[in-house]
């Protein structure tokens, strides 16, 4: 999602977000449905992103996107029921910058597929931390190329050392999250979803 889109939090989206927050509180089943991944298509049907269902519903309610496919779940909130989308499409074409992802913990974990880059263990986001490959104390910066997903045991073992000094090796060289990475991840996610497949494999 482009930074511009992230900041388009108008009154509708705030209202919608409030609605979903209370929905998630009162209906057990809605919590997971709201976090389900939704494929985002550009107006041209080109796949550009994956977002959580909650975010997708906000975009649909704001009139920024329309639902192309539904995931079969309903969101029940107050007196309304909404079909939860599986694929949405933006109504206005957006130029996607070559590198469209903000540097964030969430995006680093997404790039590294929630896998510790030293021992290859796959963990939940809360069980992972970010490791500075070149430690900050030794001049390492917070960049795509110097941050990797890391489990706590590996992080403790590495401490303030370079990987080589700690006898550790990165699974692969960390790179910026670009459109190529996004497409690759979208395809991996889409393999198990019939509704996504037709937009991802052509
Ligand atoms: Zn590890």
């Amino acid at each position: 999602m482009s930074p511009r889109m992230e900041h388009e939090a108008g009154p509708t989206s705030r209202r919608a977000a409030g609605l979903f927050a209370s929905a998630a509180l009162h209906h057990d089943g809605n919590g997971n449905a709201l976090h389900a991944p939704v494929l985002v298509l550009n107006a041209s049907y080109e796949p550009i992103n994956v977002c959580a269902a909650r975010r997708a519903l906000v975009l649909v309610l704001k009139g920024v996107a329309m639902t192309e496919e539904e995931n079969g779940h309903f969101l029940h909130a107050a007196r309304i029921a909404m079909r939860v989308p599986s694929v949405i499409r933006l109504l206005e074409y957006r130029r996607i910058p070559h590198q469209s992802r903000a540097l964030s913990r969430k995006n680093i974990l997404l790039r590294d597929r929630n896998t510790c880059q030293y021992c290859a263990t796959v963990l939940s986001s809360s069980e992972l931390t970010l490791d500075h490959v070149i430690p900050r104390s030794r001049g390492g910066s917070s960049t795509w190329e110097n941050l990797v997903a890391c489990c706590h045991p590996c992080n403790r073992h590495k401490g303030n050392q370079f990987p080589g000094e700690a006898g550790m090796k990165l699974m692969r060289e960390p790179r910026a999250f670009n459109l190529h990475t996004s497409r690759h991840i979208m395809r991996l996610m889409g393999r198990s979803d019939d509704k996504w497949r037709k937009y991802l494999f052509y």
Side-chain angles (χ1 to χ4, degrees):
M1 201 70 45
S2 73
R4 195 179 136 232
M5 230 153 128
E6 290 296 342
H7 292 123
E8 277 174 5
T12 315
S13 101
R14 275 198 295 278
R15 218 166 32 240
L19 180 72
F20 299 152
S22 60
L25 274 178
H26 299 302
H27 298 265
D28 287 341
N30 281 333
N32 285 337
L34 286 177
H35 290 115
V38 173
L39 181 66
V40 183
L41 307 174
N42 211 336
S44 57
Y45 287 92
E46 180 194 11
I48 50 172
N49 201 4
V50 175
C51 73
R54 176 198 178 98
R55 169 96 190 131
L57 281 167
V58 169
L59 293 175
V60 171
L61 283 176
K62 282 165 72 184
V64 172
M66 63 173 284
T67 299
E68 288 287 336
E69 306 282 344
E70 293 160 356
N71 77 2
H73 286 97
F74 275 94
L75 168 74
H76 300 279
R79 273 156 299 171
I80 62 161
M82 285 183 70
R83 289 171 188 277
V84 180
S86 163
V87 179
I88 60 167
R89 184 169 62 89
L90 301 179
L91 296 178
E92 250 179 67
Y93 183 80
R94 284 178 200 251
R95 251 195 81 249
I96 305 301
H98 199 63
Q99 189 183 311
S100 56
R101 293 271 181 167
L103 179 67
S104 67
R105 171 188 154 81
K106 193 181 119 210
N107 284 337
I108 298 266
L109 296 184
L110 189 61
R111 180 198 64 186
D112 293 344
R113 279 152 235 169
N114 277 55
T115 307
C116 172
Q117 294 298 293
Y118 295 105
C119 70
T121 312
V122 180
L123 294 163
S124 71
S125 300
S126 61
E127 293 170 304
L128 284 162
T129 183
L130 295 185
D131 174 63
H132 284 79
V133 179
I134 298 171
R136 256 188 304 196
S137 60
R138 297 169 73 176
S141 51
S142 297
T143 58
W144 283 107
E145 292 79 10
N146 196 46
L147 283 168
V148 291
C150 185
C151 72
H152 288 285
C154 283
N155 195 242
R156 272 194 299 275
H157 177 74
K158 184 167 171 283
N160 281 331
Q161 304 174 89
F162 287 93
E165 292 172 341
M168 300 164 90
K169 197 171 176 291
L170 282 170
M171 290 170 62
R172 61 198 170 107
E173 195 187 327
R175 299 226 166 114
F177 199 136
N178 56 29
L179 203 56
H180 177 77
T181 322
S182 308
R183 289 232 172 90
H184 182 66
I185 289 174
M186 286 190 285
R187 290 207 169 105
L188 285 177
M189 293 176 80
R191 264 184 208 161
S192 56
D193 194 320
D194 285 339
K195 289 180 174 167
W196 285 28
R197 208 171 292 151
K198 64 180 167 193
Y199 302 99
L200 291 169
F201 302 91
Y202 42 79

